[in-house]
PDB file of all heavy atoms in Angstrom:
ATOM      1  N   TYR R  49     130.420 149.925  99.646  1.00  0.00           N
ATOM      2  CA  TYR R  49     129.808 151.204  99.241  1.00  0.00           C
ATOM      3  C   TYR R  49     128.871 151.726 100.266  1.00  0.00           C
ATOM      4  O   TYR R  49     128.867 152.912 100.600  1.00  0.00           O
ATOM      5  CB  TYR R  49     129.041 150.945  97.859  1.00  0.00           C
ATOM      6  CG  TYR R  49     128.319 152.103  97.353  1.00  0.00           C
ATOM      7  CD1 TYR R  49     128.964 153.146  96.634  1.00  0.00           C
ATOM      8  CD2 TYR R  49     126.943 152.231  97.532  1.00  0.00           C
ATOM      9  CE1 TYR R  49     128.286 154.217  96.060  1.00  0.00           C
ATOM     10  CE2 TYR R  49     126.205 153.322  97.016  1.00  0.00           C
ATOM     11  CZ  TYR R  49     126.905 154.292  96.336  1.00  0.00           C
ATOM     12  OH  TYR R  49     126.250 155.353  95.806  1.00  0.00           O
ATOM     13  N   LEU R  50     128.056 150.746 100.858  1.00  0.00           N
ATOM     14  CA  LEU R  50     127.096 151.210 101.850  1.00  0.00           C
ATOM     15  C   LEU R  50     127.670 151.683 103.171  1.00  0.00           C
ATOM     16  O   LEU R  50     127.020 152.220 103.987  1.00  0.00           O
ATOM     17  CB  LEU R  50     126.083 150.091 102.088  1.00  0.00           C
ATOM     18  CG  LEU R  50     125.136 149.784 100.922  1.00  0.00           C
ATOM     19  CD1 LEU R  50     124.179 148.684 101.243  1.00  0.00           C
ATOM     20  CD2 LEU R  50     124.354 151.033 100.495  1.00  0.00           C
ATOM     21  N   ARG R  51     128.959 151.398 103.355  1.00  0.00           N
ATOM     22  CA  ARG R  51     129.642 151.884 104.602  1.00  0.00           C
ATOM     23  C   ARG R  51     129.655 153.390 104.559  1.00  0.00           C
ATOM     24  O   ARG R  51     129.609 154.086 105.606  1.00  0.00           O
ATOM     25  CB  ARG R  51     131.066 151.316 104.618  1.00  0.00           C
ATOM     26  CG  ARG R  51     131.266 150.454 105.911  1.00  0.00           C
ATOM     27  CD  ARG R  51     132.703 150.023 106.076  1.00  0.00           C
ATOM     28  NE  ARG R  51     133.167 149.284 104.914  1.00  0.00           N
ATOM     29  CZ  ARG R  51     134.431 149.044 104.667  1.00  0.00           C
ATOM     30  NH1 ARG R  51     135.364 149.449 105.552  1.00  0.00           N
ATOM     31  NH2 ARG R  51     134.848 148.372 103.623  1.00  0.00           N
ATOM     32  N   TYR R  52     129.832 153.971 103.340  1.00  0.00           N
ATOM     33  CA  TYR R  52     129.869 155.417 103.169  1.00  0.00           C
ATOM     34  C   TYR R  52     128.483 156.051 102.925  1.00  0.00           C
ATOM     35  O   TYR R  52     128.259 157.194 103.242  1.00  0.00           O
ATOM     36  CB  TYR R  52     130.779 155.767 102.041  1.00  0.00           C
ATOM     37  CG  TYR R  52     132.205 155.240 102.261  1.00  0.00           C
ATOM     38  CD1 TYR R  52     132.610 154.110 101.527  1.00  0.00           C
ATOM     39  CD2 TYR R  52     133.035 155.785 103.208  1.00  0.00           C
ATOM     40  CE1 TYR R  52     133.843 153.579 101.751  1.00  0.00           C
ATOM     41  CE2 TYR R  52     134.310 155.211 103.412  1.00  0.00           C
ATOM     42  CZ  TYR R  52     134.729 154.131 102.699  1.00  0.00           C
ATOM     43  OH  TYR R  52     135.955 153.626 102.925  1.00  0.00           O
ATOM     44  N   TYR R  53     127.610 155.222 102.375  1.00  0.00           N
ATOM     45  CA  TYR R  53     126.228 155.741 102.016  1.00  0.00           C
ATOM     46  C   TYR R  53     125.260 154.773 102.689  1.00  0.00           C
ATOM     47  O   TYR R  53     124.703 153.889 101.969  1.00  0.00           O
ATOM     48  CB  TYR R  53     126.022 155.861 100.554  1.00  0.00           C
ATOM     49  CG  TYR R  53     127.050 156.740  99.869  1.00  0.00           C
ATOM     50  CD1 TYR R  53     128.183 156.198  99.259  1.00  0.00           C
ATOM     51  CD2 TYR R  53     126.855 158.117  99.892  1.00  0.00           C
ATOM     52  CE1 TYR R  53     129.079 157.010  98.650  1.00  0.00           C
ATOM     53  CE2 TYR R  53     127.837 158.919  99.328  1.00  0.00           C
ATOM     54  CZ  TYR R  53     128.929 158.383  98.676  1.00  0.00           C
ATOM     55  OH  TYR R  53     129.884 159.189  98.090  1.00  0.00           O
ATOM     56  N   PRO R  54     125.012 154.858 103.928  1.00  0.00           N
ATOM     57  CA  PRO R  54     124.197 153.870 104.643  1.00  0.00           C
ATOM     58  C   PRO R  54     122.773 153.819 103.973  1.00  0.00           C
ATOM     59  O   PRO R  54     122.276 154.819 103.499  1.00  0.00           O
ATOM     60  CB  PRO R  54     124.043 154.402 106.095  1.00  0.00           C
ATOM     61  CG  PRO R  54     125.261 155.310 106.183  1.00  0.00           C
ATOM     62  CD  PRO R  54     125.544 155.850 104.827  1.00  0.00           C
ATOM     63  N   TYR R  55     122.249 152.551 103.998  1.00  0.00           N
ATOM     64  CA  TYR R  55     120.985 152.314 103.243  1.00  0.00           C
ATOM     65  C   TYR R  55     120.233 151.174 103.984  1.00  0.00           C
ATOM     66  O   TYR R  55     120.857 150.177 104.346  1.00  0.00           O
ATOM     67  CB  TYR R  55     121.306 151.972 101.802  1.00  0.00           C
ATOM     68  CG  TYR R  55     120.215 151.148 101.048  1.00  0.00           C
ATOM     69  CD1 TYR R  55     119.141 151.881 100.536  1.00  0.00           C
ATOM     70  CD2 TYR R  55     120.361 149.805 100.919  1.00  0.00           C
ATOM     71  CE1 TYR R  55     118.186 151.165  99.828  1.00  0.00           C
ATOM     72  CE2 TYR R  55     119.357 149.062 100.193  1.00  0.00           C
ATOM     73  CZ  TYR R  55     118.313 149.822  99.676  1.00  0.00           C
ATOM     74  OH  TYR R  55     117.336 149.147  98.992  1.00  0.00           O
ATOM     75  N   GLU R  56     118.989 151.379 104.215  1.00  0.00           N
ATOM     76  CA  GLU R  56     118.163 150.407 104.881  1.00  0.00           C
ATOM     77  C   GLU R  56     117.337 149.679 103.814  1.00  0.00           C
ATOM     78  O   GLU R  56     116.720 150.308 102.969  1.00  0.00           O
ATOM     79  CB  GLU R  56     117.162 151.064 105.896  1.00  0.00           C
ATOM     80  CG  GLU R  56     116.343 150.130 106.667  1.00  0.00           C
ATOM     81  CD  GLU R  56     117.147 149.472 107.827  1.00  0.00           C
ATOM     82  OE1 GLU R  56     118.149 150.017 108.243  1.00  0.00           O
ATOM     83  OE2 GLU R  56     116.676 148.445 108.312  1.00  0.00           O
ATOM     84  N   PHE R  57     117.394 148.311 103.782  1.00  0.00           N
ATOM     85  CA  PHE R  57     116.620 147.558 102.773  1.00  0.00           C
ATOM     86  C   PHE R  57     115.140 147.751 102.957  1.00  0.00           C
ATOM     87  O   PHE R  57     114.649 147.552 104.105  1.00  0.00           O
ATOM     88  CB  PHE R  57     116.976 146.104 102.832  1.00  0.00           C
ATOM     89  CG  PHE R  57     116.353 145.255 101.745  1.00  0.00           C
ATOM     90  CD1 PHE R  57     117.066 145.042 100.582  1.00  0.00           C
ATOM     91  CD2 PHE R  57     115.068 144.744 101.846  1.00  0.00           C
ATOM     92  CE1 PHE R  57     116.513 144.284  99.511  1.00  0.00           C
ATOM     93  CE2 PHE R  57     114.490 144.039 100.805  1.00  0.00           C
ATOM     94  CZ  PHE R  57     115.210 143.791  99.697  1.00  0.00           C
ATOM     95  N   VAL R  58     114.440 148.170 101.941  1.00  0.00           N
ATOM     96  CA  VAL R  58     113.033 148.372 101.998  1.00  0.00           C
ATOM     97  C   VAL R  58     112.352 147.608 100.854  1.00  0.00           C
ATOM     98  O   VAL R  58     112.828 147.568  99.741  1.00  0.00           O
ATOM     99  CB  VAL R  58     112.700 149.917 101.829  1.00  0.00           C
ATOM    100  CG1 VAL R  58     111.175 150.081 101.835  1.00  0.00           C
ATOM    101  CG2 VAL R  58     113.335 150.711 102.901  1.00  0.00           C
ATOM    102  N   TRP R  59     111.233 146.953 101.203  1.00  0.00           N
ATOM    103  CA  TRP R  59     110.517 146.147 100.163  1.00  0.00           C
ATOM    104  C   TRP R  59     109.647 147.129  99.365  1.00  0.00           C
ATOM    105  O   TRP R  59     108.976 147.961  99.874  1.00  0.00           O
ATOM    106  CB  TRP R  59     109.632 145.114 100.847  1.00  0.00           C
ATOM    107  CG  TRP R  59     110.398 143.903 101.285  1.00  0.00           C
ATOM    108  CD1 TRP R  59     110.699 143.568 102.550  1.00  0.00           C
ATOM    109  CD2 TRP R  59     110.954 142.934 100.446  1.00  0.00           C
ATOM    110  NE1 TRP R  59     111.424 142.406 102.578  1.00  0.00           N
ATOM    111  CE2 TRP R  59     111.622 141.979 101.290  1.00  0.00           C
ATOM    112  CE3 TRP R  59     111.003 142.706  99.088  1.00  0.00           C
ATOM    113  CZ2 TRP R  59     112.307 140.868 100.794  1.00  0.00           C
ATOM    114  CZ3 TRP R  59     111.675 141.650  98.579  1.00  0.00           C
ATOM    115  CH2 TRP R  59     112.303 140.690  99.459  1.00  0.00           C
ATOM    116  N   PHE R  60     109.736 146.935  98.013  1.00  0.00           N
ATOM    117  CA  PHE R  60     108.781 147.596  97.135  1.00  0.00           C
ATOM    118  C   PHE R  60     108.067 146.486  96.373  1.00  0.00           C
ATOM    119  O   PHE R  60     108.472 145.390  96.295  1.00  0.00           O
ATOM    120  CB  PHE R  60     109.561 148.473  96.125  1.00  0.00           C
ATOM    121  CG  PHE R  60     110.231 149.612  96.793  1.00  0.00           C
ATOM    122  CD1 PHE R  60     111.572 149.609  97.098  1.00  0.00           C
ATOM    123  CD2 PHE R  60     109.522 150.777  97.124  1.00  0.00           C
ATOM    124  CE1 PHE R  60     112.227 150.633  97.729  1.00  0.00           C
ATOM    125  CE2 PHE R  60     110.125 151.867  97.711  1.00  0.00           C
ATOM    126  CZ  PHE R  60     111.522 151.785  98.055  1.00  0.00           C
ATOM    127  N   ASP R  61     106.953 146.921  95.780  1.00  0.00           N
ATOM    128  CA  ASP R  61     106.150 145.958  95.018  1.00  0.00           C
ATOM    129  C   ASP R  61     107.007 145.297  93.911  1.00  0.00           C
ATOM    130  O   ASP R  61     106.968 144.064  93.747  1.00  0.00           O
ATOM    131  CB  ASP R  61     104.971 146.686  94.428  1.00  0.00           C
ATOM    132  CG  ASP R  61     103.982 145.688  93.711  1.00  0.00           C
ATOM    133  OD1 ASP R  61     103.451 144.786  94.427  1.00  0.00           O
ATOM    134  OD2 ASP R  61     103.837 145.747  92.470  1.00  0.00           O
ATOM    135  N   ALA R  62     107.790 146.076  93.230  1.00  0.00           N
ATOM    136  CA  ALA R  62     108.559 145.539  92.116  1.00  0.00           C
ATOM    137  C   ALA R  62     109.637 144.624  92.593  1.00  0.00           C
ATOM    138  O   ALA R  62     109.886 143.500  91.992  1.00  0.00           O
ATOM    139  CB  ALA R  62     109.224 146.654  91.344  1.00  0.00           C
ATOM    140  N   THR R  63     110.336 144.884  93.747  1.00  0.00           N
ATOM    141  CA  THR R  63     111.355 143.995  94.268  1.00  0.00           C
ATOM    142  C   THR R  63     110.744 142.678  94.711  1.00  0.00           C
ATOM    143  O   THR R  63     111.281 141.602  94.485  1.00  0.00           O
ATOM    144  CB  THR R  63     112.170 144.636  95.403  1.00  0.00           C
ATOM    145  OG1 THR R  63     111.235 145.174  96.309  1.00  0.00           O
ATOM    146  CG2 THR R  63     113.100 145.678  94.852  1.00  0.00           C
TER     147      THR R  63
END
Side-chain angles (χ1 to χ4, degrees):
Chain R
Y49 178 80
L50 290 180
R51 241 186 303 167
Y52 304 103
Y53 303 97
Y55 158 80
E56 185 78 20
F57 187 92
V58 178
W59 282 107
F60 294 99
D61 186 62
T63 47

